[in-house]
Amino acid sequence: GKTALLLMEEAARIGAAGLGAAFSKVLQHEPIANTLIVRAGVGWRLGVIGHAWLPPGPSSPAGYAFASGQSTMSNDLAADHRFGVPPLLSDHGVRREVNVVIRGDGPTFGVLEVDD
């Protein structure tokens, strides 16, 4: 609902501000499609929030964090071979990231990713 969206927007804002980063996003896992959809964020081009998505798994830092259940950090995405760099990140010039898995009482909710 609206409260959840406001919470996601605030988490994205605080994440970017706290790390002095240009971008952040909250990705929510959609189990039926098995995707991570960008629900809130800071710094992204028009059309990313609510529309862009990533698959869970090693094709992206957020997907890797979600699938492994472990937070990730990379100061050089091009040299980090744990996961791929999706166009969403490369198109925005992202070179560094940190991901934190968002858990709840039930299934894992998604990922908070801060990028710069």
Side-chain angles (χ1 to χ4, degrees):
K2 185 172 177 135
T3 302
L5 181 58
L6 290 172
L7 181 61
M8 287 185 269
E9 289 171 350
E10 186 68 357
R13 186 191 68 74
I14 290 171
L19 294 178
F23 305 96
S24 70
K25 60 187 171 295
V26 173
L27 297 116
Q28 180 180 6
H29 183 244
E30 291 288 343
I32 293 171
N34 195 27
T35 60
L36 296 167
I37 188 162
V38 179
R39 291 290 185 205
V42 171
W44 305 101
R45 291 185 196 130
L46 187 65
V48 168
I49 297 169
H51 301 285
W53 59 272
L54 300 167
S59 63
S60 72
Y64 180 89
F66 182 82
S68 70
Q70 301 294 317
S71 298
T72 66
M73 183 177 78
S74 179
N75 284 315
D76 186 356
L77 283 174
D80 196 324
H81 301 293
R82 293 176 293 170
F83 33 72
V85 181
L88 176 61
L89 299 183
S90 59
D91 290 352
H92 285 82
V94 171
R95 294 187 311 260
R96 293 178 289 279
E97 61 76 32
V98 62
N99 283 282
V100 178
V101 178
I102 304 169
R103 292 183 175 85
D105 292 335
T108 300
F109 177 85
V111 177
L112 169 64
E113 180 174 88
V114 179
D115 308 289
D116 200 39

